[in-house]
Amino acid sequence: MLRNALKGSRLPPSPSREGGTAHGRIQKRRRRRREVKVHNGMDVSSDKVEKLLCLCSLISGNLGMTSEAHSTYSEEEDGDEEAMAYYDDDDLDAFADEDLDCSCEEGVLGLSDPFGGEVKPRILLMGLRRSGKSSIQKVVFHKMSPNETLFLESTNKICREDVSNSSFVSFQIWDFPGQIDFFDPTFDYEMIFRGTGALIFVIDSQDDYVEALSRLHLTVTRAYKVNPNINFEVFIHKVDGLSDDHKIEKQRDIHKRANDDLADAALERIHLSFYLTSIYDHSIFEAFSKVVQKLIPQLPTLENLLNIFISNSGIEKAFLFDVVSKIYIATDSSPVDMQTYELCCDMIDVVIDISCIYGLTGEEAGIPYDKESMAIIRLNNTTVMYLKEVTKFLALVCFLREESFERKGLIDYNFHCFRKAIQEVFDVRVKVQKSRKLLSQRRWSKQAMPNGTPAPQH
């Protein structure tokens, strides 16, 4: 799973529309997926392959789980239970009954069967051509160097990628080409927006954005009519070449124009969130962190646990990081400082790189990377950075004063309680997901005859 998260996976072509009934088409898709091997590809240079393989080995062994957590995690994988329980039973039935052959190249709109545990919230990347959508995806989820994105070709078809880095980070990224009119009758845009959790519209801040604002308004209004629960996010991208004053001016102008267009259409209830982003700094990771957090129903619980942990441990700031993507899925209630976030990302890189270089190999590879693994970095301003592994993919990064770090035993005990609480949250999610899956199976079986054929449609 980790290697899939690092590399990104491309789904096989969806089945054709042969085989008359909806039930028959779904069974055919399920058989096809068992026969077709999913190809995983990643754009990396040859000198990175060894490091990536080492990284896979490191995180698999280093970010270990407790024995109870490992058994729960294994049980989840055995049952194909990787998706979050974001959808109610009507949503699952809608996916089951949906005709997914939408005249799109290579069947990228095909969803997996409704009982396979693969229904995940979608994050749609939209915007005009050359606005930087594919570069964002490659940098955040494929570890591509920002300079290498200069050689990326324009996207000419819808690209879908599953992201399942941890127990809480589980969604799909759909990258839409800027030249495609997905409101064309040949596209079922209602199906696209119905299962969407967040829509990210990317605007090139260094280009004339009048056309982009017009497309943004059209997209948002159509999507809202289909699914009022979508989170609408606007990335004002490529701001690395602008001065600070120019950035603020651009954001204020785009914010005003976009909201004025919604007000003119009597749609003031639609909320747009705006972010200044660039792939050449950590702003794109911070923006994506805030987008992903809105898709995590357990977020209030995680924030409350972090607040309790830092208040009883003398810690100033704490982040719960997804190690693979460097997205923080939760933090305490105190404001997030950009420099603090950048230090956390750098610390994760340092820990992984040093472990790759000096870590043991062969049979001893997993010994030093268990649940007791940690990292301590002392800064020159009496601040201590403390990293501890929470689960196989999550790490806790804390900031505290040197005098507070003298009570390390208390901090470690509180961390043990925190990790146990995180595991309980994870267990609840798995139980809810299994119960919903079972209920959906029963509802589906009621629509079929005893011999397995679907009931006649009236």
Side-chain angles (χ1 to χ4, degrees):
M1 182 194 298
L2 175 62
R3 223 169 254 193
N4 287 344
L6 283 170
K7 295 182 178 180
S9 59
R10 188 177 295 273
L11 291 182
S14 62
S16 64
R17 300 187 56 153
E18 306 179 86
T21 65
H23 181 77
R25 288 196 298 271
I26 289 175
Q27 293 298 323
K28 195 168 185 178
R29 282 195 289 269
R30 296 175 68 180
R31 290 195 300 269
R32 188 80 165 268
R33 288 187 177 89
R34 285 193 290 265
E35 295 170 358
V36 181
K37 180 178 179 181
V38 177
H39 172 70
N40 295 322
M42 180 178 179
D43 296 325
V44 294
S45 54
S46 58
D47 59 343
K48 292 186 178 180
V49 173
E50 184 176 354
K51 183 176 180 180
L52 286 172
L53 294 177
C54 185
L55 174 59
C56 294
S57 175
L58 163 69
I59 300 181
S60 299
N62 195 18
L63 304 180
M65 306 173 77
T66 61
S67 57
E68 298 151 347
H70 186 274
S71 62
T72 306
Y73 188 79
S74 300
E75 180 183 352
E76 182 192 29
E77 287 206 329
D78 291 340
D80 243 326
E81 298 283 79
E82 295 180 22
M84 303 280 289
Y86 289 98
Y87 301 98
D88 58 22
D89 303 306
D90 293 332
D91 292 324
L92 290 174
D93 287 343
F95 279 117
D97 297 331
E98 193 70 56
D99 186 0
L100 298 172
D101 191 357
C102 300
S103 302
C104 130
E105 292 187 46
E106 295 190 7
V108 293
L109 295 182
L111 295 175
S112 48
D113 69 272
F115 310 139
E118 294 295 332
V119 178
K120 304 176 184 180
R122 304 182 194 132
I123 296 179
L124 307 185
L125 274 174
M126 295 184 171
L128 299 183
R129 291 184 70 253
R130 310 304 298 176
S131 58
K133 303 181 296 295
S134 299
S135 298
I136 291 174
Q137 181 184 1
K138 293 293 185 181
V139 169
V140 176
F141 298 105
H142 291 257
K143 304 303 176 189
M144 180 178 285
S145 168
N147 293 326
E148 295 179 19
T149 61
L150 298 174
F151 307 102
L152 288 177
E153 297 181 359
S154 295
T155 304
N156 55 14
K157 60 185 177 182
I158 301 173
C159 298
R160 169 186 162 184
E161 177 184 1
D162 286 346
V163 178
S164 301
N165 291 348
S166 70
S167 54
F168 296 106
V169 181
S170 183
F171 53 87
Q172 297 172 346
I173 296 286
W174 289 30
D175 184 4
F176 282 79
Q179 67 271 19
I180 287 185
D181 180 13
F182 48 90
F183 295 122
D184 187 271
T186 58
F187 278 83
D188 187 0
Y189 72 89
E190 292 188 0
M191 186 279 295
I192 295 174
F193 291 133
R194 190 178 301 132
T196 298
L199 190 156
I200 299 176
F201 197 92
V202 183
I203 296 178
D204 186 351
S205 63
Q206 300 184 18
D207 197 3
D208 183 18
Y209 44 78
V210 174
E211 183 183 355
L213 288 174
S214 176
R215 176 73 70 88
L216 169 65
H217 179 75
L218 175 64
T219 303
V220 167
T221 52
R222 294 278 186 94
Y224 183 81
K225 291 178 182 178
V226 176
N227 182 3
N229 297 319
I230 294 179
N231 298 316
F232 296 105
E233 321 286 348
V234 180
F235 284 7
I236 305 172
H237 198 47
K238 302 182 183 179
V239 299
D240 48 277
L242 306 178
S243 64
D244 291 341
D245 292 340
H246 202 181
K247 291 178 185 178
I248 297 174
E249 181 183 347
K250 288 274 189 181
Q251 183 176 15
R252 185 186 297 116
D253 185 41
I254 292 175
H255 183 279
K256 184 178 184 303
R257 291 192 187 190
N259 284 295
D260 286 349
D261 290 342
L262 292 176
D264 293 341
L267 293 172
E268 298 93 337
R269 58 188 176 276
I270 298 180
H271 175 70
L272 303 178
S273 299
F274 296 86
Y275 307 90
L276 294 171
T277 60
S278 171
I279 59 175
Y280 291 95
D281 56 31
H282 291 86
S283 59
I284 188 63
F285 293 95
E286 185 180 22
F288 240 105
S289 297
K290 294 178 180 178
V291 172
V292 171
Q293 287 171 19
K294 296 179 182 179
L295 302 180
I296 301 176
Q298 300 91 347
L299 181 63
T301 303
L302 298 177
E303 290 180 344
N304 189 41
L305 290 174
L306 285 169
N307 286 331
I308 296 173
F309 172 67
I310 67 171
S311 62
N312 290 282
S313 304
I315 293 174
E316 295 183 353
K317 187 67 180 173
F319 294 88
L320 189 61
F321 266 90
D322 175 73
V323 178
V324 176
S325 63
K326 291 188 290 189
I327 288 176
Y328 72 94
I329 66 172
T331 185
D332 57 87
S333 56
S334 61
V336 176
D337 179 50
M338 188 64 177
Q339 284 187 328
T340 302
Y341 175 71
E342 290 177 358
L343 284 173
C344 293
C345 294
D346 292 341
M347 183 180 190
I348 293 175
D349 287 337
V350 167
V351 171
I352 291 177
D353 290 343
I354 291 180
S355 298
C356 281
I357 296 172
Y358 299 105
L360 300 179
T361 58
E363 297 180 356
E364 299 177 331
I367 295 177
Y369 312 125
D370 54 17
K371 63 181 181 180
E372 300 298 331
S373 298
M374 65 177 183
I376 302 171
I377 296 180
R378 299 180 186 271
L379 306 180
N380 57 6
N381 60 352
T382 71
T383 300
V384 177
M385 297 178 64
Y386 190 32
L387 183 146
K388 291 276 287 185
E389 283 73 18
V390 178
T391 69
K392 190 176 183 181
F393 301 102
L394 300 180
L396 182 71
V397 183
C398 307
F399 285 81
L400 66 161
R401 296 293 177 185
E402 286 185 350
E403 53 269 23
S404 300
F405 193 67
E406 294 176 358
R407 299 178 297 170
K408 183 175 177 297
L410 174 63
I411 296 174
D412 288 343
Y413 175 78
N414 289 338
F415 172 78
H416 175 75
C417 298
F418 171 79
R419 180 161 55 184
K420 185 178 179 181
I422 290 288
Q423 184 57 44
E424 291 177 1
V425 173
F426 176 79
D427 292 341
V428 169
R429 182 190 70 81
V430 173
K431 291 177 181 178
V432 170
Q433 181 184 344
K434 287 185 176 180
S435 64
R436 291 193 175 190
K437 178 180 175 182
L438 179 61
L439 183 58
S440 297
Q441 286 176 325
R442 290 175 177 173
R443 293 184 61 173
W444 179 261
S445 63
K446 290 179 182 179
Q447 302 175 9
M449 300 292 287
N451 61 358
T453 59
Q457 301 293 328
H458 298 287

